[in-house]
Amino acid sequence: MKLITANIRFDSPKDGQMSWSHRRVVMAKNLLSYGPDLIATQEGWRPQLEDLKGLLSGMQMAFSNRPWIKERMYPCIFFNPSSIEILECGEFWLSETPQVAGSFSFKSSFPRLATWVKAKNLNENFSFMFISTHLDHVLNSTREEQIKVLLKEVEKINAKKLPCILAGDFNEAPEQRVRALVTQYAPRLYDPWLKLGHQEEPSHHYFGPPPQDANRIDWLLVDRRFEAKEIFLDKNHENGIYPSDHYPVKLEVIFKSS
């Protein structure tokens, strides 16, 4: 399967030439160029996400009938129906009350959530779980509690122990506490970036050269039943117009039946 995680940057008029109206086609072309089976996005208001859905020819949005809250931005999952069948889908909030829409805890700056699907790969006939999330951007302690909620909720939802892929903007470098907690609670998940021996580099670039102290905060973590073939940050732009202020992360995996 070919997978992408991409923080698409919310629609902000303050971004000027990098605002959504200038980036939207560049973003869609960038995502489609990889021939993805699944795309996890973060940020984006409902109108922006529905606009992107219309631009992603041949792709569909999972859980598009969710109870949208106008003031909130949502992680979403797009899939190619010719290769992926959605079996179940849903969302939960990264709070002390995960099933209460719009809820937030742990001093989070905004309500944060995860969107998930249980899906079937139609070409290879295996089922799996795919999750898109976005952790808070301010406090380490907030992110630590949010990832604990996420991992506990996934464990409850995934009673059949399907192989999981966790994608998102974690707002932390991989060597920090969030990644350690993933290892503690979900030891089967590994980081293909490290597995393939890549050197660390920033994924959040602010529409230009990344700051010296920037980190790889956008990850795809995959179950050991998947073998990673390649992973990279797509740094392409069109005449200086970037798809987002984050580089999309693109990954290809092969499912191992045993």
Side-chain angles (χ1 to χ4, degrees), residues 40-57:
T41 66
Q42 300 84 43
E43 291 196 20
W45 312 103
R46 180 182 183 181
Q48 181 183 8
L49 291 162
E50 292 183 338
D51 181 32
L52 181 60
K53 179 175 69 172
L55 293 169
L56 291 176
S57 177

Side-chain angles (χ1 to χ4, degrees), residues 132-187:
S132 177
T133 196
H134 190 181
L135 303 190
D136 202 63
H137 65 296
V138 180
L139 296 175
N140 292 340
S141 58
T142 301
R143 292 189 288 272
E144 291 168 17
E145 295 304 319
Q146 289 175 336
I147 198 67
K148 289 177 187 177
V149 171
L150 185 149
L151 295 169
K152 289 176 181 177
E153 289 300 308
V154 168
E155 185 177 14
K156 288 190 287 187
I157 294 166
N158 189 22
K160 293 185 178 180
K161 307 297 183 184
L162 297 175
C164 285
I165 299 169
L166 174 57
D169 176 356
F170 295 85
N171 271 310
E172 273 196 13
E175 65 270 16
Q176 293 181 267
R177 181 64 177 156
V178 164
R179 184 67 187 91
L181 287 166
V182 174
T183 300
Q184 178 183 340
Y185 285 91

Side-chain angles (χ1 to χ4, degrees), residues 110-144:
F110 305 102
R112 302 285 191 173
L113 73 157
T115 300
W116 59 270
V117 297
K118 293 179 184 177
K120 181 178 181 179
N121 183 302
L122 297 173
N123 298 322
E124 301 294 335
N125 194 31
F126 64 86
S127 297
F128 61 99
M129 189 170 180
F130 188 66
I131 306 116
S132 177
T133 196
H134 190 181
L135 303 190
D136 202 63
H137 65 296
V138 180
L139 296 175
N140 292 340
S141 58
T142 301
R143 292 189 288 272
E144 291 168 17

Side-chain angles (χ1 to χ4, degrees), residues 5-10 27 42-43 134 169 218 244-246:
T5 186
N7 181 318
I8 66 171
R9 171 69 177 173
F10 67 94
M27 170 61 79
Q42 300 84 43
E43 291 196 20
H134 190 181
D169 176 356
D218 301 274
S244 175
D245 61 343
H246 292 239

Side-chain angles (χ1 to χ4, degrees), residues 45-141:
W45 312 103
R46 180 182 183 181
Q48 181 183 8
L49 291 162
E50 292 183 338
D51 181 32
L52 181 60
K53 179 175 69 172
L55 293 169
L56 291 176
S57 177
M59 305 287 288
Q60 295 180 13
M61 184 194 294
F63 202 42
S64 58
N65 62 339
R66 71 197 322 158
W68 299 89
I69 300 173
K70 183 179 180 181
E71 297 80 12
R72 300 274 65 85
M73 291 180 281
Y74 285 84
C76 287
I77 295 171
F78 297 86
F79 68 99
N80 182 343
S82 68
S83 61
I84 301 294
E85 178 186 356
I86 302 300
L87 306 175
E88 296 180 51
C89 55
E91 67 183 14
F92 55 84
W93 298 77
L94 305 181
S95 71
E96 294 175 311
T97 52
Q99 305 310 318
V100 178
S103 61
F104 63 108
S105 309
F106 321 122
K107 298 183 180 179
S108 184
S109 300
F110 305 102
R112 302 285 191 173
L113 73 157
T115 300
W116 59 270
V117 297
K118 293 179 184 177
K120 181 178 181 179
N121 183 302
L122 297 173
N123 298 322
E124 301 294 335
N125 194 31
F126 64 86
S127 297
F128 61 99
M129 189 170 180
F130 188 66
I131 306 116
S132 177
T133 196
H134 190 181
L135 303 190
D136 202 63
H137 65 296
V138 180
L139 296 175
N140 292 340
S141 58

